[in-house]
């Protein structure tokens, strides 16, 4: 099966409901005109999801959340359950983003539980992994990524593995303006595929889409998109302005259409 290509915006803690609705109304219109076949998605903050879904005419934009609670309901102050997300038309969820792992101390065990719950709930998990600058400098890039990937995927039923999307987001490139080179990205993605095949079974690594994230913008997206083993992008800063995100869509059109 051919892997799909994805362009996903991660709005982080930006945009009010009003701004989200306006953005989605304009952006979904442009996406519809382009007849994009692969997934162009955006993950607004929880409080803007409802407004975003109202602006998302024809459901042209794949709607996602940036995180999700560990359980379906109950005593989990401050958390949001998968069914609550689905109520607003959410179809994918970003899990284990480096800001969740590092600022909010989310463990790989928690990410693993969320991956299973997301799949059970019919949400597509986008699982983020990536090394810090020091870890890369010390030659530990793959050791770190393997320690994040293995727990996240090992409990997943065989038939669900290809529903998962992985996002390789080196921390030194997220929000810094420093972007990994296409060669660096290709090498890590290839090593991830080989590792997935080794621990999960024949061919698994070739079936899972692996996105790159970290300072992707209109000046680097084309060279990154043509790198081998890259199935799309998770985009922070450059997804916040319509013209910037539309330009990424246009620059990767041959992969998206
Ligand atoms: P950035 O963020 O594109 O602003 O570097 C990417 C992300 O955190 O997903």
């Amino acid at each position: 099966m051919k892997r799909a290509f994805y362009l996903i915006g991660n709005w982080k803690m930006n945009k009010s409901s009003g701004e989200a609705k306006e953005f989605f109304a304009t952006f979904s219109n442009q996406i519809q005109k382009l007849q994009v076949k692969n997934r162009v998605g955006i993950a607004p903050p929880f409080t803007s999801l409802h407004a975003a879904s109202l602006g998302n005419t024809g459901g042209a934009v794949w709607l996602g959340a940036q995180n999700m609670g560990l359980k379906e309901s109950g005593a989990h102050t401050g958390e949001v359950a998968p069914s609550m997300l689905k109520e607003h038309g959410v179809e994918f969820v970003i899990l284990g983003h480096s800001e969740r792992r590092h600022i909010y101390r989310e463990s790989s065990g928690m990410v693993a539980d969320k991956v299973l719950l997301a799949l059970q709930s019919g949400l597509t998990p986008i699982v983020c992994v990536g090394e810090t600058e020091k870890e890369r400098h010390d030659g530990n890039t793959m050791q770190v990524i393997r320690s994040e990937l293995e727990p996240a995927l090992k409990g997943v039923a065989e038939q669900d593995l290809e529903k998962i999307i992985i996002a390789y987001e080196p921390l030194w490139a997220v929000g810094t303006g420093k972007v990994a080179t296409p060669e660096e990205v290709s090498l890590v993605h290839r090593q991830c595929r080989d590792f997935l095949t080794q621990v999960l079974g024949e061919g698994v690594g070739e079936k899972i889409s692996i996105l790159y994230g970290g300072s992707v913008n209109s000046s680097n997206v084309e060279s990154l998109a043509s790198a081998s083993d890259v199935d799309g992008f998770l985009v922070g800063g450059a997804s916040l302005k319509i013209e910037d995100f539309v330009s990424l869509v246009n620059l990767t059109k041959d992969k998206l259409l």
Side-chain angles (χ1 to χ4, degrees), residues 162-233:
E162 50 190 289
K163 295 182 190 157
I164 295 174
I165 299 171
I166 290 165
Y168 167 51
E169 296 209 303
L171 270 76
W172 47 273
V174 172
T176 60
K178 267 196 236 170
V179 65
T181 65
E183 295 73 26
E184 286 169 332
V185 175
S186 281
L187 179 64
V188 171
H189 286 206
R190 174 51 30 210
Q191 288 173 325
C192 287
R193 293 195 196 288
D194 293 345
F195 176 67
L196 293 172
T197 295
Q198 182 197 325
V199 293
L200 298 169
E202 192 57 37
V204 171
E206 308 308 316
K207 290 182 194 154
I208 296 185
S209 293
I210 308 183
L211 320 185
Y212 166 76
S215 298
V216 173
N217 60 36
S218 55
S219 54
N220 55 39
V221 75
E222 281 174 288
S223 57
L224 288 164
S226 56
S228 59
D229 286 303
V230 174
D231 303 314
F233 303 102

Side-chain angles (χ1 to χ4, degrees), residues 10 12 97-99 169 173-177 213-216 234-238:
N10 172 11
K12 309 192 180 189
H97 188 279
S98 58
E99 288 149 20
E169 296 209 303
V174 172
T176 60
S215 298
V216 173
L234 186 54
V235 182

